[in-house]
Amino acid sequence: MDLPVLLITNGVLLPEARLKYTLHLLGVSRARIESFALPIASVKQLYTVPGDLNDEIKVEFLRNLKDFLTYLTFESIESAITLKKLLEEKNFDALADFSVAQLREVSFSTMLDYLATLDTSRRVLLANEWIKECIKSQSDPNEQLKRDHHKELVKLGTLIPANDLAKLRDKAQNVVRKYGSRVKSGNSVEALEGKLRDAQLPDGIRDRAWEEYDRLKGMNSQQSEYNVLLNYLDLVAALPWSKSTPDHIDISKARQVLDVTHDGMDKVKKRVLEFLAVRKLTDHATGPILCFSGPPGIGKTSIAKAIAKSLGRKFERMSLGGIRDESDIRGHRRTYVAAMPGRIIQALKHAGTNNPVILLDEVDKLYAGVSGSPSAALLEVLDPEQNNSFVDHYLNLPFDLSNVIFISTANDLSQVEAPLLDRMEVIEMSGYSHREKLHIAQNHLLPRQLDKNGICPDHLIVNPDAILHMIESYTMEAGVRQLERQLGAVCRHGALKLAEALNTDIAADVVPELHLPIVIDRTAVKHILGIAKFERLNLVKKLGRFKPGMVFGLSVSVLGGKVMPIEATTNPGKGKVQTTGKLGDVLKESIEVAKTWIRANSGRLSCSSLTDIDAHVHIPEGAVKKDGPSAGCAIVSALYSLAANRCVRSDTAVTGEISLTGHVLPVGGIKEKVLGAHRAGIRRVILPESNRADTSELDDTIKA
Ligand SMILES: Nc1ncnc2c1ncn2[C@@H]1O[C@H](COP(=O)(O)OP(=O)(O)OP(=O)(O)O)[C@@H](O)[C@H]1O
């Protein structure tokens, strides 16, 4: 007989899975596929044979199936109802097939063998064994709850007509929700109660937290608010309302920590020690908020870490780069979907104490977006008058931040909003000279990289000359981050050599083909790191002797100081000045000022007044925007060189603002500029007299 193999009985849209359909398929008979040509299969029905089934097995099987029914009601209410019906009918053929179909523990191949067995008694025996195993493995601690649940289901079955499946299912699902969810969530609500008791909540907070807890207890766990409230109370219980680390401010120990972790930086260390000393003597929770500013990789973050270490406090770093939403700082209100607390509250939760050192990293990279200004939110956090009752929107309870030490860092202070900057005490940090970098590399970076790569310091030695070569030719930075990366590459090379030698023969006492220690010199650096990337940037060597109109200016950016070549040429014309190189308004005005000054002083200087020719001023790296008044003196030099047809020295760089009457005015970033000039191979720098005091910060080797 040809017949359909499967009959689709009903497709039910479950209310809790709005977009998912569940397709219920019901097997009606065994069959063998005789021929198969897509999309039609021709099948032959197979008939089961009763076999020899003894009464003892029948009784045991029925008993086991009744227990199995209890378990099944938790899994699928509809399957439980069908099984109940089959139990009433005592149809052993169908009972065996249906109950086995509910088991997930039986492997697919075993199930196929079962399916192919036509002898009913054999299948009942198999089903009985598997069901017994299943019941044994489902021993549940919530037995009483399950029994109640079962009773209620049975009651439902008797009250509602069997054919009214939809009503029955809805009611039954409510029962599953009521009991099933208690089985799952009972533990977490009880655990929460314990956590809230242990949280040492302050007076005003305690009552509100317990009120919310009572509200949670009265809620059905299927309510959407239930989980929101549960998570909220979890946070309340986890916050360190009354937990703090005791301060051990020992100035000599702090000095030692700072000296051990950081080379040089004398001015910064002195200021940090003063800060700690004042804290020790006054015992004031409130103090200035330090802001370390300077180029990347000069140790701003790591010095903040050292402060936390010397105080014995927890350290939390909050990267503010790219934040443009007020709620990142202050949290979302709980009514929002997926609402979360702000970063400050999260940092405190993570720290587990209410007096950590929180580093607000990169405050200059906060932006005001459409959803409010994060800087404005930070103002409240940093204000000692207000921050003893900081209210995060999510938490909606005041938290005392006055014990927290906030430290911030910035690369570019001009990008920090004025009111925020006003709250902080800025400590400017500048880049390092080659000699300072060498010391940092020898004392800190190399030992750290050796350790990271599992190399004993006696097995790999990097010559100072090799380190200097790396500094000069493989890095171009104010800080030491690239240098640490290059040292890491050298160490990995050493690690490979050592590991290869060790691999050759594990039992060998001596590492073959390897002479220890591995010594890294200039040649080895070239071999490991490849072609020197920055040798080509030695501008003095590269540009050689200057032509009239060329001069080196100096600029400073968030990446440190840099040499800025300026070129000027003439064209036939009527005294106009053309500018190229993406120059800002202030720089263009400096060019106008320089031209006017040359014209006014051409007689005294015995040079052309540039009125009968056009000048073209170009500053290379045309894609990079340049601005600021500090190139004034360099532009005057370039135009004078052109007007007088005399060359400027090509080993010299100039900086300083120029006024219309020829006064040279002071400029900022002297140390960075001089270091940048030194990196580019410049040997002489001309600075405004009024900047003389700034030169005291310069390293003697640089001055020399
Ligand atoms: N004076 C120093 N002594 C020892 N190590 C230093 C010194 N300066 C910097 N370092 C090391 O250089 C690495 C980079 O420093 P850090 O991350 O603190 O830079 P940063 O100034 O915060 O940079 P960014 O502005 O990019 O965040 C760190 O591993 C730090 O230990």
Side-chain angles (χ1 to χ4, degrees):
M1 182 178 86
D2 286 351
L3 82 170
V5 184
L6 297 168
L7 178 70
I8 296 173
T9 53
N10 55 359
V12 187
L13 179 62
L14 294 178
E16 70 273 13
R18 265 176 250 138
L19 294 174
K20 285 184 196 154
Y21 283 88
T22 304
L23 195 61
H24 290 251
L25 304 174
L26 180 68
V28 292
S29 172
R30 284 180 167 67
R32 178 181 299 123
I33 296 175
E34 301 274 272
S35 65
F36 185 57
L38 267 177
I40 296 166
S42 164
V43 296
K44 186 170 188 320
Q45 187 172 16
L46 300 174
Y47 297 95
T48 54
V49 287
D52 185 19
L53 195 61
N54 72 43
D55 288 347
E56 225 173 283
I57 293 290
K58 279 185 189 170
V59 172
E60 189 189 335
F61 186 44
L62 288 177
R63 198 178 53 233
N64 286 336
L65 281 178
K66 276 183 191 146
D67 285 346
F68 183 59
L69 184 65
T70 318
Y71 156 69
L72 203 57
T73 46
F74 279 93
E75 297 291 302
S76 155
I77 185 65
E78 276 161 14
S79 302
I81 291 165
T82 310
L83 182 61
K84 196 165 167 259
K85 223 163 109 203
L86 292 176
L87 274 170
E88 278 160 17
E89 289 168 9
K90 293 206 172 63
N91 178 347
F92 285 93
D93 202 26
L95 272 175
D97 286 357
F98 185 79
S99 56
V100 167
Q102 313 306 316
L103 298 175
R104 284 189 215 114
E105 295 78 4
V106 184
S107 73
F108 184 66
S109 58
T110 319
M111 201 69 111
L112 279 186
D113 287 344
Y114 172 89
L115 214 55
T117 309
L118 295 180
D119 185 335
T120 303
S121 63
R122 171 95 195 106
R123 274 185 289 118
V124 168
L125 279 174
L126 282 172
N128 191 32
E129 284 307 308
W130 293 340
I131 297 285
K132 254 199 298 194
E133 297 247 317
C134 172
I135 294 166
K136 226 198 292 169
S137 65
Q138 293 301 326
S139 54
D140 196 295
N142 290 299
E143 209 54 60
Q144 183 57 42
L145 207 54
K146 278 185 176 182
R147 249 177 264 131
D148 291 352
H149 180 191
H150 176 58
K151 268 189 226 149
E152 198 147 341
L153 281 172
V154 172
K155 207 167 69 192
L156 275 171
T158 56
L159 289 176
I160 296 169
N163 57 359
D164 200 345
L165 191 65
K167 270 192 203 165
L168 179 62
R169 187 179 52 239
D170 284 350
K171 290 230 170 192
Q173 271 171 358
N174 282 339
V175 177
V176 171
R177 277 186 195 135
K178 190 170 150 199
Y179 288 92
S181 63
R182 277 227 204 141
V183 173
K184 270 193 230 147
S185 65
N187 292 343
S188 55
V189 175
E190 273 161 30
L192 178 66
E193 188 176 340
K195 281 192 229 163
L196 281 174
R197 276 190 212 294
D198 297 342
Q200 298 172 14
L201 303 173
D203 283 349
I205 310 293
R206 194 181 308 119
D207 294 347
R208 284 175 65 184
W210 284 113
E211 255 170 44
E212 295 283 13
Y213 177 75
D214 288 341
R215 210 155 68 80
L216 177 81
K217 270 200 348 192
M219 250 181 216
N220 184 328
S221 64
Q222 295 303 313
Q223 261 175 276
S224 58
E225 209 196 327
Y226 180 86
N227 273 329
V228 175
L229 193 54
L230 187 71
N231 291 341
Y232 170 75
L233 286 171
D234 253 336
L235 173 75
V236 173
L239 281 178
W241 298 95
S242 317
K243 253 188 248 162
S244 55
T245 42
D247 270 350
H248 304 289
I249 306 184
D250 177 343
I251 299 295
S252 59
K253 191 188 140 213
R255 183 175 282 126
Q256 207 184 343
V257 171
L258 292 175
D259 283 343
V260 167
T261 51
H262 290 83
D263 253 31
M265 292 185 164
D266 295 338
K267 227 171 91 182
V268 177
K269 283 182 193 167
K270 185 167 161 267
R271 181 63 195 94
V272 168
L273 289 174
E274 284 167 7
F275 170 81
L276 297 180
V278 172
R279 262 193 179 267
K280 184 179 172 82
L281 294 182
T282 57
D283 215 18
H284 270 178
T286 55
I289 288 138
L290 299 180
C291 172
F292 297 117
S293 97
I298 52 166
K300 300 185 293 295
T301 309
S302 57
I303 197 106
K305 251 188 220 168
I307 293 178
K309 192 173 168 194
S310 51
L311 279 168
R313 289 194 182 200
K314 289 276 176 69
F315 178 77
E316 286 295 321
R317 176 170 171 258
M318 255 173 71
S319 181
L320 301 179
I323 287 189
R324 48 178 72 235
D325 194 340
E326 185 198 353
S327 52
D328 270 312
I329 305 290
R330 226 198 285 259
H332 302 95
R333 292 192 193 282
R334 250 190 299 153
T335 43
Y336 281 78
V337 176
M340 285 207 307
R343 302 267 194 111
I344 302 280
I345 291 296
Q346 287 181 31
L348 286 164
K349 181 185 167 197
H350 191 251
T353 59
N354 63 14
N355 64 343
V357 172
I358 295 187
L359 178 71
L360 306 169
D361 214 2
E362 319 211 7
V363 270
D364 52 335
K365 313 253 172 10
L366 284 173
Y367 301 103
V370 281
S371 333
S373 155
S375 325
L378 263 193
L379 281 182
E380 187 192 331
V381 172
L382 300 183
D383 187 350
E385 303 297 320
Q386 298 180 45
N387 72 5
N388 55 4
S389 55
F390 168 72
V391 180
D392 178 279
H393 285 161
Y394 179 86
L395 189 63
N396 204 20
L397 296 170
F399 196 98
D400 184 0
L401 297 180
S402 60
N403 295 318
V404 177
I405 295 185
F406 288 102
I407 296 177
S408 61
T409 75
N411 291 133
D412 183 3
L413 283 179
S414 67
Q415 298 296 320
V416 183
E417 283 196 19
L420 196 57
L421 195 59
D422 191 47
R423 295 246 187 303
M424 305 190 280
E425 181 181 327
V426 176
I427 300 181
E428 301 225 16
M429 292 166 68
S430 41
Y432 298 112
S433 65
H434 289 184
R435 200 181 61 156
E436 285 169 325
K437 284 185 188 177
L438 174 64
H439 284 169
I440 295 173
Q442 285 176 318
N443 299 336
H444 301 275
L445 309 182
L446 185 59
R448 188 158 56 216
Q449 285 302 323
L450 286 172
D451 184 47
K452 254 191 189 171
N453 290 290
I455 303 174
C456 166
D458 295 339
H459 291 168
L460 186 109
I461 289 171
V462 186
N463 282 342
D465 185 43
I467 299 180
L468 268 178
H469 183 47
M470 283 192 221
I471 295 169
E472 282 165 5
S473 306
Y474 291 87
T475 63
M476 180 59 81
E477 58 176 350
V480 290
R481 203 170 267 139
Q482 283 179 25
L483 178 61
E484 183 163 6
R485 230 170 272 144
Q486 304 296 359
L487 284 166
V490 168
C491 290
R492 284 195 297 278
H493 169 86
L496 180 63
K497 272 191 157 185
L498 285 167
E500 263 174 356
L502 285 170
N503 252 4
T504 318
D505 181 1
I506 293 166
D509 304 335
V510 205
V511 180
E513 293 291 318
L514 183 72
H515 300 287
L516 289 178
I518 303 170
V519 178
I520 306 288
D521 55 12
R522 248 173 199 264
T523 329
V525 167
K526 200 167 177 182
H527 172 67
I528 300 165
L529 301 180
I531 297 168
K533 294 174 206 135
F534 293 104
E535 255 170 5
R536 62 191 162 85
L537 278 179
N538 189 327
L539 284 170
V540 177
K541 265 196 212 161
K542 191 178 173 201
L543 295 180
R545 210 179 129 74
F546 274 178
K547 293 191 187 110
M550 287 172 79
V551 68
F552 280 135
L554 290 170
S555 69
V556 64
S557 72
V558 287
L559 300 175
K562 213 171 149 194
V563 169
M564 179 169 75
I566 297 172
E567 298 168 345
T569 56
T570 53
N571 293 314
K574 291 192 181 135
K576 279 197 204 136
V577 178
Q578 191 189 353
T579 58
T580 49
K582 217 169 179 201
L583 312 185
D585 288 344
V586 181
L587 194 48
K588 279 187 192 157
E589 282 171 11
S590 297
I591 294 173
E592 289 298 328
V593 170
K595 201 188 86 179
T596 310
W597 185 80
I598 298 266
R599 193 171 296 165
N601 293 280
S602 57
R604 186 169 64 83
L605 298 168
S606 323
C607 66
S608 154
S609 63
L610 299 175
T611 43
D612 47 357
I613 42 172
D614 281 355
H616 182 164
V617 179
H618 176 67
I619 304 186
E621 279 200 84
V624 182
K625 198 165 179 344
K626 305 156 198 93
D627 209 357
S630 73
C633 289
I635 292 167
V636 167
S637 309
L639 289 183
Y640 171 72
S641 149
L642 201 64
N645 201 25
R646 291 175 63 185
C647 297
V648 175
R649 285 177 66 140
S650 66
D651 63 349
T652 303
V654 189
T655 188
E657 186 177 345
I658 188 106
S659 78
L660 199 55
T661 49
H663 289 289
V664 174
L665 307 175
V667 291
I670 291 294
K671 188 171 177 195
E672 290 305 330
K673 284 178 176 172
V674 175
L675 289 175
H678 187 257
R679 283 197 289 274
I682 300 281
R683 291 290 162 265
R684 284 157 43 105
V685 173
I686 300 176
L687 307 173
E689 175 61 40
S690 36
N691 276 114
R692 184 177 285 280
D694 295 306
T695 57
S696 61
E697 286 178 25
L698 289 169
D699 196 288
D700 285 342
T701 49
I702 301 275
K703 281 193 203 162

